[in-house]
Amino acid sequence: MFDSFDTVNSLVKIATGVVDTLKLNSENMKKALSVDLLATDLAYYLVRKSVPFRLAHSLSGQCVSLAEKLKCNLNDLTLAQLKEISEHFDSDVKEVYDFEKSVEQYSSIGGTAQSSVLEQIKYFKIKFC
């Protein structure tokens, strides 16, 4: 138990040092984004079109596979190519490829939406500061 306490205590000190000295480069972070990160959003798009998630996930995987085969980005697939995979794709599929919308759609407790993150920060400041 004492060893575990010492280990956790050390980890907290290290994490605090990392956070205190962290410098974010938003431009580099944006450059590192890949549209492939939105493959799950593509599956959720299909779910909103009444496709069961298990099938939607499989169809999204087929889209990723096709894009890899064609050596293009997921969002470069044409509507005709997507419709060959599933008739549920429509012209509004292009709206899926928006990183900010992707993040903002998760607004529940612990989610990635800005409102959720700010609420979490507020909670931890009150609880621990």
Side-chain angles (χ1 to χ4, degrees):
M1 183 163 78
F2 291 113
D3 183 51
S4 295
F5 174 82
D6 291 341
T7 300
V8 170
N9 192 40
S10 295
L11 290 173
V12 168
K13 288 178 183 176
I14 291 168
T16 301
V18 168
V19 171
D20 285 346
T21 60
L22 183 66
K23 292 189 184 353
L24 301 176
N25 185 324
S26 59
E27 288 305 312
N28 283 348
M29 291 168 65
K30 285 179 186 174
K31 287 178 192 174
L33 290 173
S34 167
V35 75
D36 293 339
L37 295 169
L38 300 173
T40 304
D41 293 69
L42 195 59
Y44 290 149
Y45 165 86
L46 291 170
V47 168
R48 288 190 295 273
K49 301 280 183 168
S50 300
V51 176
F53 182 77
R54 184 182 346 192
L55 176 58
H57 187 270
S58 174
L59 294 170
S60 176
Q62 291 176 45
C63 294
V64 171
S65 181
L66 179 60
E68 288 175 352
K69 178 181 171 188
L70 298 175
K71 297 183 182 347
C72 69
N73 289 322
L74 189 57
N75 61 335
D76 292 329
L77 295 175
T78 66
L79 182 56
Q81 290 168 321
L82 292 172
K83 281 196 172 284
E84 285 181 29
I85 294 170
S86 173
E87 73 278 359
H88 291 93
F89 285 111
D90 209 344
S91 60
D92 63 343
V93 71
K94 294 296 180 184
E95 295 173 22
V96 168
Y97 306 115
D98 183 320
F99 290 105
E100 287 187 31
K101 282 184 183 178
S102 177
V103 169
E104 287 299 318
Q105 71 182 326
Y106 303 107
S107 59
S108 62
I109 295 172
T112 56
Q114 184 176 7
S115 60
S116 178
V117 171
L118 292 174
E119 192 62 38
Q120 292 170 70
I121 291 170
K122 180 179 161 187
Y123 169 81
F124 282 106
K125 282 185 176 180
I126 291 169
K127 186 85 171 167
F128 298 106
C129 294

